[in-house]
Every structure is written in C-alpha cells, then in structure tokens.
Amino acid sequence: MNRTPSQFKILASENVADRRLRRTFQSATSHALGQRAQSVQLVPEWEDLRERAHRIKEEAVENLDFYLEKLEASVIRRGGRVFWARDASEASSYVVDLCRRLQASTVVKSKSMAAEEIGLTDALEAAGVEPVETDLGEFIIQVAGETPSHIIAPALHMTRQQIGSLFHEKFGIPYTDVPAELCAFARQRLRREFLSARLGISGVNFAAADTGTIAIVENEGNARLCTSLPRVHLAIMGLEKVIPRFSDLPLFLRLLARSSTGQRQTSYVSMISGPRREGEWDGPEEFHLVLLDNGRSDILADPRVRRSLYCIRCGACLNTCPIYQRVGGHSYGSVYSGPIGSVLTPLFQGLEVAKDLPFASSLCGSCSNICPVKIDLHHQLLWLREKLVSGRATPWQERLAMSLFAAGMKDPALYRMGSALLRLLLRVSGRTDRPFTVPGWSPTRDFPALAATSFKQWWEDNRQPGEGP
Amino acid sequence: MNVSLFIPCLVDQFFPSVGINLVKILRKAGVSVDYPRAQTCCGQPAFNSGYHEEAIQLARRFLEVFGEAETIVSPSGSCTSMVKVFYPEILQDPDLRRQLREVTGRTYEFSDFLVNVMGIKDLGATFPHRVTYHDACHLFRELGVHRAPRELIRHVRAIELVEMENSDACCGFGGTFSVKFPEISTAMAQDKSAAILKTEAEYVVANDSSCLMQIGGYLSRQGLPIKPLHLADLLGENL
Ligand code: SF4
C-alpha cells in the first residue's frame, strides 16, 4: 500500500466516490467535532488560551536553537542522552543500533507521528527487529498492513465490523465487533510483549526546555507501559515539540485534550524527566531522546510558512476540513493529512511531489479557525501556492491565462472591450442565453449565462444626474 | 454620506441585478452612490491561484481607483475580505501599506455596512417566503459577519427564516478549486444542498454570488426547485 502525495487527485476522486468510506469519515469527524465543541464551550477564556499558546509557540519557534540546546542540557543533566537526527535515516539508524546493542528482538512502541514520518517500523523490521505497536489504533492498522488515516485516530477509516473480521482472520479468534471485546483481546496479547521487550519507543507531545521533561498524553495506558517497563526508553520528537518552560505545560495540555477528543484531560499524562535515578526502584535504566529535524530547519528558514511548526498535532483541523471529511486521510498519500498535512507534506517531501496538496482546499478557513495554536493554515496554503507559481511548477497554459487575466483587468478599457466583444460573439453565434460549458464544472453543475447587459453598462445608462463619475 | 460601489467582476458580468439592487438599497438608506468606472477585479482569482505578482498589480489598481473614496461598499464578503485581509499580506511597499490601511478601514461588505455603520435593519421589504441563509466562508470567518445579514432578513415583512444545519460549512466553490477538484467540490455542494432541502425553504440566501453560483448550479442540475438568492436581490427587488 505505497501511496504518495503525487497521487492525491486520483486517490481523492476514488475515495470521495466510496460512499461507505465517506460515511465513516463524516460520522467520525462530526462526532469528534461535537465532543470538542461541547468541551470548548465550558471554557469561556478559550480564545485567550489560544492566543497565549500561539505566543508561546512563537517564542519557542523563533528561538528554536536556544530552547533546543537548553532542552538538551536539561536532559543530559538528568542522566538522559540526546541524539540530533538530521533526517529519517539518521534517526532510524540510531534506533536500530540501540536495538543491536541491547540485543532486542522486539520493541514495544506507543503512538508517535514522528516515528510514522520516518518509517521507523519498516527500518526496524528490515534490521530484524519486531516492532510491536501498542496503541490500539496503531495495532489495528499494523495488523491490517495499513497506514494511519488520521493523526489522532489512525484506524479511523475502519468500521468495527472490519476490525472484527480482521482479528478473526489474523488471530483465529471468534468474530466479534464489540469494541470492549476487541480491545480486551488486544490488551491481553500486548501484555506479554510489554513484559519481554527490552526497548520501549514513544513519541513526545511536549518537551520542556527548562526541566528536560517530556510529556506524553494518551488514553490507553500503553505509552505509560512502553516508557516504564522496558529497560530502555527511547523517545522521538520533531524539533518543534520543545516548549520553553515546564510551567507552560498545563495550558497546552488543556488545549490539546479538548481540541483532539473533547476530553477535559486525557486518561494518562506521563511526565518523564530522565531515566531511573539512584534510590528509585522502577523506571528504565537508560533514557534516549531523538531530536528529529527531517526538513524542519528548512521550514524554519521561511518566515511565511514557519508557523506550521506551531502544530501540536491535535487533529482538529482534519476533523473540521470539508475536504478531509470527504476524501479521508489516505488520499493525502502521507502520514500527515488534512490541512496541516497539505502544508507539511509539500514542505517535508518537496513541492514537486506534493504539488496538488496546497490547491486541495476551498480556502474556507475553518482549519485556521479551529486550530488551538492559531496557525493560519489556509494562509500557509496560499503561500505554498505562491511558491509553486514562482518556482514555475504550474502549467504554462495557466501562467499564460493569468498574465492575460491581469493585463485585461489592469486596463479598464481592455476590460470593457473584452466584455463587449464577448457579448457580440455570443449574439452573432446565437448563444446569448445559453450557459457556458466549463470543463470541470459543467458535468455536475449548471453554469450561468452571461448577463445581456453588464452592471457597468447599466450604470452608464441609468446613473442619475449628479452621480459621478 | 457618499458610497463608492465596489462591484465584483462576477457580479458585473453574470449577476448585474445584485449591483443594481444594491444601488436601490443604498439610495433607500439615504446615501449617495457612485461607481468608479475604472474598477475591474480585485485580483482574488490570481491571488488564490498563487499568482501574487498579478494580484499585487490589481491591488495597486484598487488603491488608485478607490484611494479617494469616502466609503467603499461591496455585495461580496469574498472580495471585501480580499481587500481587508489578503491585500495586507501581499503588499510590502510601506507607502502602499499606509494607504491600504486607510482604505480598508472604510471598506465594508454591504450587510455589515447597513446594520453596523448605518444602523439600518429594516429597509421596508416584503417577501412572503420561507428562506434559509448560507454563511459564506469569507464573510463569516475572515470578516466575522453573520449577525448583520440575519438581522436584515428577519426584518423583512412576511418572511420566514429557517436555519439549516451547519450553515457555515463551505459550499465547495473555492474559486479554481471547483474545477481543479470537481468531485470533491460537487460532494460539498451535494451535502450543502441536503442541508438546505431539509429546511424546506423556497430560497437559499447568501451574500456572495460565487457561493450562489455553486449551490444554484448544483440544485438546478439536480432539478431541485430551491432558488439561490443574493441578499441584495432579496432586499432590493422587494422594496
Ligand atoms: S494545525 Fe492546529 S488544528 Fe491542525 S493538528 Fe496542528 S494544532 Fe491541531
């Protein structure tokens, strides 16, 4: 199932035609939006919180080098190790080498978008290490051989009946589609893995530079187990996950939980500051933090799209996006989907590969409106469109049409002449009242006919004396 | 007060009644109206497609044409937000930016202008029909205008306003998006139409001709009897 962002148009038209899939996405996203709306309503100062979070992220991103070095120092002070990974392969190699040293044949892994981004599980498998996904949604798609279709709910595209059949086929258990029973089965199966794994891998939701604390939020308890049972814990984070201060954390935890699932707080919030220390009787012996760049420095270098680094991966923009709701996460051909995916994927993978994504938006702005850290997502898409145009990545016909358009619109005489000429042509060819046929539009929608008299003409004929000019 | 009309090119060429009715409404509201004839297009089609160079040229023109205007009023939330929200993003020249700040402060979408500037909610129109109102994205989210049009509708005599579900959900137009991704755009129009149908309204009202073109184009292709209606047409035709 190797999808790429360059296939967006094909995948999206296939998926939008799949009525079952569309229903699944529309009901899941509207449920999530409902939950969110209810919980946000209870916070009258919500808009202030968004603004504050935006400012803090701005501070962190504008001074990223400073805060990352501070984070590194704090982690080391607490006995942890820090690895700066320039790209996916550096990050994966570090993890694989660690597995070799630990002689780990299996690793337990909790949910991490950064790990998804670099294809960590594939790298581990290629090195003969079995990565066990312990988040229920991730577990399901791993068993199904799928990729995540939502950054919060990876198996969003599957119905519980499909999951029931999958478990029945793959594990030979009696068919059931009762969520609690499916969950109990996965839980039992995973318990063994937790106890035997030497390495636990987790993501990071926030990393406080001043204390070196990483925070992980979840609802299943699997991340807590991944980070505490195995001998070694490795956490991987995109560079942008750093926040200046531990005291900023409560604000972000509130925004994240309410925006993503509508919870006041997630069931588990783990705060980890380094490995087990002297005198402590549990926790991992080693703690590794991988700081993943993988294109983030380049994003940072462009002030127009820099704000995309504020993202806390809450998934709200996916849920509210009318495009995502109808085409689903897999259409985007990358681990990041929806509006933030349409911004990040071209930046991470290259504009050429993902050149349809910035255009796959009606610019309705509901993403920017819902984003808990106030990223102006649709404006970021507009900047990416501009980057594509100035990089001459759009078809020549379009470029020509646009320069003609601008030339015609810049010159009122030309505009008026064009408008009169068009009407004359229509009259001569006897098509005055017939609507235009517009490629792309007309197969499903009627296009209006040109008005017999333009407003301009009407004004000339009807303006009252004294009304100028 | 003198108002300069800012008529989108789409209205000029395809829906001139919207402009004509706006003139009627403004005269009724007691302001004098002029129409700077050198105006063409605000440049949004170019801007939204990534052609900022071209859009900047048209933004400069807009400032030339409307620079001296006392008040600028447009029957489109979308074109108004192009001027008020997006011009500031693309114009870098400090002189132009200063000029722009002054001009945008005097630029309004027409329902916003009537209700919030003029304090007029009742124009004296009568329309004995059941209508529903679609919140156009740019008007609703870029300009934050959603109360004003409803106030104007509610004060129309004999009218019945029924809210649809998710009135602020996008209709799927999105400029070139509608032809670049016709399947997605149509799917959005389909869901919008379903929400409209549920209200059993005879008319779907909005303040942007482009949304109405999308919704109306889909409704009529489906043979559905609900008619798209610009708020300016609703108010102006029935004074
Ligand atoms: S861009 Fe904003 S809304 Fe979207 S996932 Fe990131 S934080 Fe959430």
Side-chain angles (χ1 to χ4, degrees), chain A residues 151 311-315 317 340 371-373 375 377:
Chain A
I151 58 179
C311 175
I312 60 172
R313 308 277 190 268
C314 74
C317 61
I340 187 64
C371 176
V373 288
I375 303 172
L377 285 153

Side-chain angles (χ1 to χ4, degrees), chain A residues 219 253 257-258 263-269:
Chain A
N219 282 313
L253 293 177
R258 285 179 200 254
Q263 290 169 290
R264 274 187 240 178
Q265 197 179 38
T266 50
S267 309
Y268 295 84
V269 178

